């Protein structure tokens, strides 16, 4: 994932016969970004003359014949890459977008620097052309069918691109519908596509300059969607299915392997502390391998404060996916995880959970005694304070159990923050997506810290606020540690 300090942003404005609005758009944009590339797509009015008066504000890419918006965007992206830019905002030259909304796209970029961010308009806005609204909804439906992504406005030209997401793309069309094609191909390649709301202005019909041709462009969009649907059948969905089948088979094989190892090490060998430690080290190594080899994904682990997990603590982590458990198991072999009852009693991988001496959360009184014993043996205990996976990766309400336990047993708290796991394997999804996953170990909250002057109820609220704030921050980029300490 890109370091936020390496981001270099420009704005690309494609224009064709927008002499009445392009100057104002450029001046508005210049208040938010000083690097502006204008692509004159063969304008036949006095656009070129207007651009020549703004040469101190802009870089101009120009050619004599009109080749379509898709071609203009490609020309702009190519020039941006040649100039060393990493990201580009695209904004239409007809004045329908508000340059003052650009900070919203930029804020989202710093949170997700590898994404394509679409500025979604309100399709019920006053004066919104009826044919545009129909074409947009038509396009949204097919985009959702082709990619599985629900995007409210696939036709918006107000976007922010991570230019790395565009490398290697080969477009079918070069005109109005090219932006839809770009989104579909990017989604198939596994790039994250997200959206932020933006305002839109449509002048009265008699003042409007529009190059949208309802019948011609609708036919072109229909032909493109037919091609993309065929591509979905033979490429888009098969790639998802292949990743999911491979991952499912791998997890099944891994579970069988761990069950067999547990039987030989702990059942036949005896549940000695030495054998339990051996089994926990195997779990850690297997978890490290799995998380680092999920098909179509990347994983980065950050431990900027050098936490070693040698001193027992209560480890808390936000919860997004079934993959979260594997990520937590990477941290240290000296770990006990509290699981839901159905996980502990599961006839397949529940055996692994029981071999590892993980505890069901329902047996609170007995569990506290067992945890106390394990802590004396040098183990930390891990709890997901949200209790259940987040369906949309947002931070949910924290339960107090983890913080009550830390207070009762006089343990430090180690917060761990994960990101991207719920996008790779969403809740209730039957397939895995490509994507980027990160895990960061945040500073240990020591019993000697002033924060512990409050009781566990207040500590629950404080840590929850910390996670909410963390989820709103740009991705952190510290010294990378390939794998946690074994």
């Amino acid at each position: 994932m890109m370091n936020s300090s390496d981001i270099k942003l420009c704005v690309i404005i494609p224009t064709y016969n927008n002499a009445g609005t392009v100057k104002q758009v450029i001046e508005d944009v210049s208040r938010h970004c000083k690097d502006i590339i204008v692509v004159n797509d063969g304008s036949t009015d006095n656009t070129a003359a207007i651009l020549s008066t703004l040469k101190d504000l802009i870089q101009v890419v120009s050619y004599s014949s009109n080749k379509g918006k898709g071609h203009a965007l490609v020309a702009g992206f190519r020039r941006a890459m040649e100039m060393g830019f990493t990201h580009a905002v695209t904004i239409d030259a007809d004045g329908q977008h508000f340059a003052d909304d650009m900070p919203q796209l930029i804020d989202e970029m710093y949170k997700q620097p590898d994404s394509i961010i679409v500025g979604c308009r309100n399709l019920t806005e006053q004066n919104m052309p009826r044919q545009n609204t129909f074409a947009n909804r038509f396009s949204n439906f097919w985009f959702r069918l082709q990619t599985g992504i629900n995007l409210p406005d696939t036709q918006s030209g107000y976007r922010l691109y991570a230019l790395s997401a565009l490398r290697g793309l080969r477009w079918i069309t070069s005109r109005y519908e090219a932006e839809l094609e770009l989104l579909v191909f990017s989604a198939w390649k596994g790039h994250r596509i997200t959206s932020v709301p933006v305002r839109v202005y449509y002048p009265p019909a008699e003042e409007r300059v529009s190059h949208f041709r309802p019948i011609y462009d609708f036919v072109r969009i229909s032909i493109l969607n037919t091609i993309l649907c065929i591509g979905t059948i033979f490429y888009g969905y098969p790639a998802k299915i292949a990743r999911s089948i491979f991952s499912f088979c791998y997890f099944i094989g891994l579970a069988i392997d761990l069950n067999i190892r547990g039987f030989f090490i702990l059942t036949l060998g005896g549940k000695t502390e030495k054998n339990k430690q051996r089994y926990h080290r195997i779990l850690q190594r297997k978890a490290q391998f799995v998380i680092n080899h999920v098909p179509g994904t990347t994983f980065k682990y950050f431990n900027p404060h050098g936490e070693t997990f040698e001193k027992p603590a209560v480890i808390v982590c936000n919860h997004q996916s079934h993959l979260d458990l594997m990520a937590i198991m990477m941290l240290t072999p000296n770990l006990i995880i509290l699981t839901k009852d159905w996980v502990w009693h599961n006839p397949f991988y529940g055996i692994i959970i029981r071999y590892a001496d993980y505890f069901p959360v329902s047996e609170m009184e007995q569990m506290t005694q067992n945890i106390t014993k394990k802590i004396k043996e040098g183990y930390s205990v891990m709890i997901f304070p949200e209790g259940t996976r987040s369906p949309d990766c947002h931070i949910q309400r924290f339960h107090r159990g983890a913080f009550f336990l830390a207070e009762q047993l006089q343990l430090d708290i180690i917060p761990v923050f994960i990101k991207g796991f719920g996008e790779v394997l969403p809740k209730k999804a039957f397939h895995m997506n490509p994507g980027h996953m990160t895990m960061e170990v945040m500073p240990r909250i020591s019993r000697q810290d002033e924060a512990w002057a409050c009781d566990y109820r207040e500590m629950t609220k404080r840590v929850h606020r910390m996670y909410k704030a963390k989820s709103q921050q740009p991705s952190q980029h510290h010294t990378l540690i390939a794998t946690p300490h074994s």
Side-chain angles (χ1 to χ4, degrees):
M1 185 176 289
M2 174 174 291
N3 191 319
S4 57
S5 64
D6 295 332
I7 288 174
K8 189 177 179 185
L9 178 72
C10 70
V11 176
I12 298 172
I13 306 175
T15 181
Y16 173 61
N17 289 349
N18 296 118
T21 54
V22 67
K23 183 175 185 291
Q24 187 64 54
V25 170
I26 292 170
E27 291 174 347
D28 290 347
V29 166
S30 67
R31 294 199 300 268
H32 300 280
C33 182
K34 298 304 181 185
D35 296 296
I36 303 172
I37 300 170
V38 179
V39 183
N40 183 5
D41 184 27
S43 297
T44 56
D45 59 3
N46 64 334
T47 293
I50 292 172
L51 297 182
S52 68
T53 66
L54 300 169
K55 59 184 178 181
D56 292 337
L57 290 178
I58 60 176
Q59 287 269 337
V60 178
V61 177
S62 184
Y63 37 88
S64 58
S65 60
N66 175 250
K67 298 182 179 180
K69 187 177 183 182
H71 188 277
L73 287 172
V74 170
F77 292 142
R78 186 179 295 117
R79 175 63 63 87
M81 292 178 186
E82 290 171 354
M83 296 174 67
F85 291 104
T86 61
H87 291 72
V89 173
T90 61
I91 184 169
D92 293 341
D94 59 3
Q96 68 167 284
H97 304 306
F98 289 80
D100 288 344
D101 286 338
M102 197 177 300
Q104 296 174 223
L105 280 76
I106 295 173
D107 287 346
E108 189 68 19
M109 173 193 68
Y110 279 106
K111 296 175 189 176
Q112 304 180 70
D114 299 306
S115 298
I116 295 175
I117 302 156
V118 180
C120 290
R121 303 162 295 178
N122 179 3
L123 299 183
T124 63
E125 192 77 27
Q126 187 177 8
N127 290 330
M128 181 77 165
R130 183 175 300 177
Q131 65 267 25
N132 291 51
T133 301
F134 175 77
N136 204 344
R137 289 174 175 164
F138 181 81
S139 175
N140 295 348
F141 168 79
W142 287 108
F143 179 75
R144 184 166 58 250
L145 182 68
Q146 292 152 3
T147 66
I149 299 172
N150 186 17
L151 193 65
D153 186 3
T154 55
Q155 294 296 310
S156 172
Y158 203 2
R159 304 179 181 183
L160 196 156
Y161 294 91
L163 294 178
S164 59
L166 307 182
R167 296 186 186 277
L169 288 183
R170 296 292 182 268
W171 292 1
I172 300 171
T173 183
S174 64
R175 294 198 173 271
Y176 172 82
E177 64 278 10
E179 288 176 300
L180 171 64
E181 178 189 349
L182 187 155
L183 288 181
V184 173
F185 285 171
S186 297
W188 286 353
K189 288 183 66 177
H191 297 292
R192 177 176 168 81
I193 299 172
T194 187
S195 65
V196 296
V198 295
R199 295 168 294 166
V200 63
Y201 168 70
Y202 277 102
E206 63 273 11
E207 300 176 15
R208 189 177 304 143
V209 177
S210 175
H211 306 299
F212 180 76
R213 296 156 295 182
I215 297 176
Y216 179 74
D217 285 329
F218 184 77
V219 170
R220 288 180 64 92
I221 292 173
S222 298
I223 293 172
L224 175 63
N225 277 312
T226 301
I227 296 171
L228 292 177
C229 283
I230 294 172
T232 298
I233 295 171
F234 291 101
Y235 175 77
Y237 284 163
K240 286 186 177 183
I241 294 170
R243 282 192 299 268
S244 302
I245 291 175
F246 176 85
S247 300
F248 178 75
C249 292
Y250 185 84
F251 288 135
I252 293 293
L254 176 67
I256 292 173
D257 175 60
L258 290 173
N259 281 328
I260 293 172
R261 287 174 182 263
F263 176 77
F264 280 101
I265 294 172
L266 295 170
T267 301
L268 296 184
K271 293 186 177 181
T272 65
E273 184 56 33
K274 181 178 178 180
N275 284 343
K276 288 181 181 179
Q277 271 287 312
R278 181 183 172 192
Y279 190 67
H280 275 253
R281 284 194 294 271
I282 291 171
L283 287 177
Q284 184 192 30
R285 289 196 299 271
K286 294 288 185 181
Q288 288 174 351
F289 183 85
V290 168
I291 291 298
N292 281 286
H293 293 85
V294 177
T297 70
T298 60
F299 172 74
K300 290 185 178 180
Y301 170 70
F302 303 103
N303 190 354
H305 305 280
E307 177 61 57
T308 64
F309 301 96
E310 292 178 1
K311 181 182 177 183
V314 172
I315 300 171
V316 296
C317 182
N318 55 314
H319 200 7
Q320 297 184 352
S321 165
H322 282 307
L323 291 172
D324 302 351
L325 197 62
M326 282 284 180
I328 293 298
M329 288 163 60
M330 294 173 56
L331 294 173
T332 173
N334 297 329
L335 184 65
I336 298 300
I337 299 176
L338 303 190
T339 71
K340 285 190 172 183
D341 285 18
W342 72 265
V343 176
W344 199 84
H345 291 291
N346 186 280
F348 190 61
Y349 53 80
I351 300 172
I352 302 169
I353 299 296
R354 295 192 290 275
Y355 275 141
D357 277 346
Y358 296 168
F359 303 130
V361 292
S362 63
E363 301 176 8
M364 181 59 70
E365 184 174 343
Q366 181 64 35
M367 179 184 69
T368 304
Q369 297 176 13
N370 292 334
I371 289 174
T372 302
K373 180 176 179 235
K374 284 294 181 183
I375 287 168
K376 290 178 181 178
E377 294 172 359
Y379 287 82
S380 291
V381 59
M382 187 274 155
I383 306 176
F384 292 110
E386 291 170 289
T388 186
R389 290 164 291 149
S390 171
D392 56 5
C393 299
H394 284 77
I395 303 298
Q396 303 179 106
R397 183 177 73 89
F398 277 14
H399 299 284
R400 299 171 180 171
F403 307 94
F404 173 77
L405 192 65
E407 183 177 276
Q408 290 295 107
L409 300 179
Q410 295 294 293
L411 293 174
D412 299 344
I413 292 175
I414 302 177
V416 175
F417 182 78
I418 61 171
K419 190 171 184 178
F421 287 74
E423 295 158 12
V424 170
L425 184 58
K427 187 174 183 178
K428 297 183 180 179
F430 296 98
H431 60 80
M432 299 186 72
N433 301 313
H436 309 284
M437 301 180 291
T438 61
M439 180 167 66
E440 180 181 346
V441 181
M442 296 191 283
R444 177 186 285 251
I445 304 174
S446 170
R447 292 297 305 178
Q448 282 69 51
D449 290 351
E450 292 183 5
W452 273 109
C454 63
D455 65 8
Y456 72 92
R457 297 177 183 85
E458 181 60 29
M459 180 56 72
T460 305
K461 296 177 183 178
R462 289 187 182 184
V463 175
H464 181 259
R465 288 195 294 268
M466 180 177 71
Y467 272 84
K468 291 280 285 186
K470 182 71 175 175
S471 68
Q472 299 299 317
Q473 292 176 2
S475 299
Q476 298 299 306
H477 301 274
H478 307 289
T479 302
L480 176 63
I481 303 174
T483 54
H485 296 293
S486 298

